[in-house]
Amino acid sequence: MHFQWYPGHMTKAKRQMQEDMKLIDLVIELVDARIPVSSRNPELDELGRQKARLILMNKADLASEKLTQSWTSYFREKGYFVVKLDSRNKAGMKNVSDVVMEACKEKMERDRKRGIKNRPVRAMVVGIPNVGKSTFINTFSGKACAKTGNKPGVTKGKQWIRLNKNVELLDTPGILWPKFEDQKVGLNLALIGSIKDEILNIDELSLALTKVLKENYPGILSDRYQVQEDQEPSDILMEIARSRNCVKKGGELDYSKAAALVMEEFRSGKLGKITLEFPSE
């Protein structure tokens, strides 16, 4: 399966982001804790190279706790501030406020020496589609400022949001990069839902997920679906169809229904805390 998705509005959004970088002190980048590298836009390192950087490992509730800790150490060693959070349940939000002030401490000190007082820290919130950017902003600010939706591409324009006297946030549309050099990145993004399902083959996607789970999380499929894992992914999905009574009219097993079930249960966390990328790679 070949992954490629770059709507026209994203080119415009990137140009706008280059302009907006001149106005801000801090880049807050949301990544999905299940795929911390694949869910980063590599262009952001170039765009924000002169700014303080904070990486928020969002959806940490769906990811392996041990691997999230490893990824946190990995990013900190590279000079980023890092906070893990679950923005839907407010877990980690208090830490974000503290780390924002810490990340901008030098800038605030420079302002003070120049006689500039009470100027709020201006932070740009960035992230690829469907990493939970709007949910984070709404939870962080305590009000529904940004549109939310469990699908990519809901935030279309930019908006300033005043959090308090110390911090202003600039929301931006989620942007993907024009081309996935590594198709594994495309696969990871498709698995977590950052590429629209309508343009994907869910049967193939579920096969790829089954293979990954079988290799890296042995026992997870057999525990959940009472199936044997020592067989081909396609046979595992057929067995899941049988165990979950996914049948078409006439009693034929419904492979596609089983494939969609596995995808939904992975994305919602019903299969457990699963991270698809490893720092050792």
Side-chain angles (χ1 to χ4, degrees), residues 98-138:
D98 296 342
V99 175
V100 164
M101 302 316 289
E102 186 188 344
C104 295
K105 197 162 58 177
E106 288 181 15
K107 176 258 165 203
M108 291 159 75
E109 185 60 28
R110 283 197 306 272
D111 279 357
R112 192 182 63 77
K113 285 179 178 171
R114 288 158 59 197
I116 301 169
K117 294 179 182 176
N118 303 323
R119 185 171 94 70
V121 166
R122 287 185 156 179
M124 179 190 285
V125 183
V126 298
I128 67 165
N130 210 32
V131 289
K133 202 156 54 70
S134 298
T135 303
F136 161 71
I137 289 170
N138 292 341

Side-chain angles (χ1 to χ4, degrees), residues 31-32 35-42 71 74-75 177 185 277:
V31 303
D32 190 303
I35 54 166
V37 172
S38 292
S39 59
R40 295 194 68 214
N41 185 334
W71 279 115
Y74 170 89
F75 286 127
W177 48 105
V185 170
E277 291 183 316

Side-chain angles (χ1 to χ4, degrees), residues 26 28 54-56 81-85 90-105 108 121 123 136-137 139-142 163-169:
L26 170 71
I28 299 176
L54 167 58
I55 289 181
L56 300 182
F81 292 87
V82 187
V83 176
K84 64 175 183 175
L85 76 158
K90 304 189 179 180
M93 282 295 170
K94 172 74 172 69
N95 290 347
V96 176
S97 300
D98 296 342
V99 175
V100 164
M101 302 316 289
E102 186 188 344
C104 295
K105 197 162 58 177
M108 291 159 75
V121 166
F136 161 71
I137 289 170
T139 306
F140 195 38
S141 63
L163 288 189
N164 50 47
K165 62 182 175 54
N166 295 322
V167 183
E168 287 181 356
L169 290 184

Side-chain angles (χ1 to χ4, degrees), residues 17-31:
M17 193 179 281
Q18 285 172 314
E19 285 300 306
D20 294 337
M21 280 287 175
K22 300 168 188 171
L23 309 173
I24 58 113
D25 311 303
L26 170 71
V27 178
I28 299 176
E29 180 183 4
L30 271 83
V31 303

